[in-house]
Amino acid sequence: MALPHTILAALNTGAQSGYDLLKGFSSGSGCFWQATQQQIYRELSKLEEQGLVVPEVVPQDGRPDKKLYSITSEGQALLREWIAQPSKPTPIREELMVKVLAAHLVDPQIVIDELQRRQQQHQEQLEAYQALWECVGCANLSDLSMPLQCKCMTLRRGIRYEQSWVDWCEESIVWLRAV
Amino acid sequence: MALPHTILAALNTGAQSGYDLLKGFSSGSGCFWQATQQQIYRELSKLEEQGLVVPEVVPQDGRPDKKLYSITSEGQALLREWIAQPSKPTPIREELMVKVLAAHLVDPQIVIDELQRRQQQHQEQLEAYQALWECVGCANLSDLSMPLQCKCMTLRRGIRYEQSWVDWCEESIVWLRAV
DNA sequence: TTGACATACTCAACAAGTTGAATATAGCAT
DNA sequence: ATGCTATATTCAACTTGTTGAGTATGTCAA
């Protein structure tokens, strides 16, 4: 799985604590991996054991000490190797689709309500991504630094993904209403 | 998780053995859940314990006996209840996006090759879905039976999903070539 | 001053998903 | 005759991901 690599990739742009990583994951902005507190701390310990990251304890006043983790050259090497290997499309596990598949068992209105709820969620995420995209506001990525260009590509993926959901929900609601 | 419900939904349209379910999952056609052999058999045992499915041993000549599982009325009731409950969007875990995020660490050509591979995979899946869609070949779903309409909705989702990937890969390859 | 919220980390236990192998029968090609 | 593919199921061990609680400290508002 890619959790260790995701953490290494996040640390690659600067040292972070477990807490920082958690916030980065949950705020999401263009991130295509997420993890809970427990997974992150567990994984950081493992990465430290393997020498792929090194911690630095930073005393803070008024707050608990924090452990700032940095990626090591071994960590970077591992990340580079991993990127070069081909990866398969993620298998899809979409609850909503299973429900739609068996939707004929229940009142169509129940499914319509659910689809409207989902459409709104995806619409909101779409708008958040679009806002970020407009912040960058440039026609050709070449004007940006490479790391920022990479970030933008994931942002474009997010926009397309959310848009495809919004459109599908719209279409499906219309169809279900006609039943 | 939705594995038990997915199995119940699959059995809802007719009795199947573990092996049949596995083939249904792996052939995929519009399916938005997948599972390994082990998961399926394990889950079928649990569902049997709970009285949500009942097995019927069918002796076959020349082949091992098969156990055909049917959904019970309890199973159907559970499925109906589950469908009525709201579900959250699936959290995304996309290895390729993590790689793209850290792509600046490696030669752009490596990433371009990977994107082309992925684009082709999604293109093939898209064409498979489109072929199924053209088999149905009707402008308004209302002409179809409800279960078939439901199936079609998931198929439309699949088409939009794969198309969004193909388009994004295309766009990203163009950008990366400009680097 | 009590409670809510944010920072910061740890431990324990369980559920879900993955990997690998073992068992058994039959057909088909080399 | 040997190995490969397909049908059909089961067991064991492991890694990931989820859930819930527990330990600290400080700020801000009611």
Side-chain angles (χ1 to χ4, degrees), chain A residues 26-44:
Chain A
S26 55
S27 75
S29 58
C31 184
F32 287 87
W33 207 273
Q34 43 55 263
T36 60
Q37 228 180 33
Q38 289 70 14
Q39 279 176 281
I40 292 168
Y41 285 113
R42 189 208 274 163
E43 203 59 47
L44 281 170

Side-chain angles (χ1 to χ4, degrees), chain A:
Chain A
M1 287 286 113
L3 179 56
H5 306 101
T6 307
I7 290 176
L8 289 175
L11 295 182
N12 191 52
T13 54
Q16 290 189 69
S17 68
Y19 198 79
D20 295 333
L21 285 166
L22 177 69
K23 284 200 299 176
F25 282 143
S26 55
S27 75
S29 58
C31 184
F32 287 87
W33 207 273
Q34 43 55 263
T36 60
Q37 228 180 33
Q38 289 70 14
Q39 279 176 281
I40 292 168
Y41 285 113
R42 189 208 274 163
E43 203 59 47
L44 281 170
S45 305
K46 277 193 210 171
L47 290 172
E48 190 187 333
E49 265 177 54
Q50 296 171 275
L52 303 171
V53 301
V54 279
E56 183 202 353
V57 177
V58 179
Q60 302 184 107
D61 39 80
R63 285 180 196 173
D65 294 354
K66 70 156 100 177
K67 270 189 186 174
L68 271 183
Y69 288 91
S70 309
I71 192 168
T72 63
S73 56
E74 287 85 1
Q76 276 208 340
L78 189 108
L79 196 52
R80 249 187 279 264
E81 266 176 57
W82 176 73
I83 291 172
Q85 276 162 16
S87 56
K88 287 181 204 160
T90 308
I92 304 167
R93 292 204 176 86
E94 195 63 58
E95 250 186 60
L96 185 58
M97 287 303 121
V98 178
K99 291 186 180 182
V100 166
L101 208 57
H104 51 95
L105 288 173
V106 300
D107 179 357
Q109 192 56 48
I110 289 175
V111 184
I112 291 173
D113 290 347
E114 176 77 349
L115 290 175
Q116 283 178 326
R117 208 163 25 235
R118 281 295 289 269
Q119 185 179 24
Q120 208 194 324
Q121 286 170 22
H122 289 295
Q123 181 67 43
E124 280 162 19
Q125 190 60 65
L126 174 61
E127 282 164 17
Y129 287 153
Q130 281 173 336
L132 280 170
W133 177 246
E134 274 152 38
C135 277
V136 181
C138 66
N140 57 340
L141 286 182
S142 324
D143 300 341
L144 303 171
S145 68
M146 255 311 267
L148 203 49
Q149 281 188 48
C150 292
K151 178 93 182 166
C152 278
M153 281 196 278
T154 67
L155 193 53
R156 292 299 299 169
R157 175 70 204 128
I159 290 173
R160 286 184 187 277
Y161 178 76
E162 299 300 339
Q163 186 70 61
S164 77
W165 268 109
V166 170
D167 294 346
W168 176 81
C169 287
E170 183 66 37
E171 176 184 77
S172 297
I173 290 166
V174 171
W175 277 341
L176 273 175
R177 281 209 178 115
V179 171

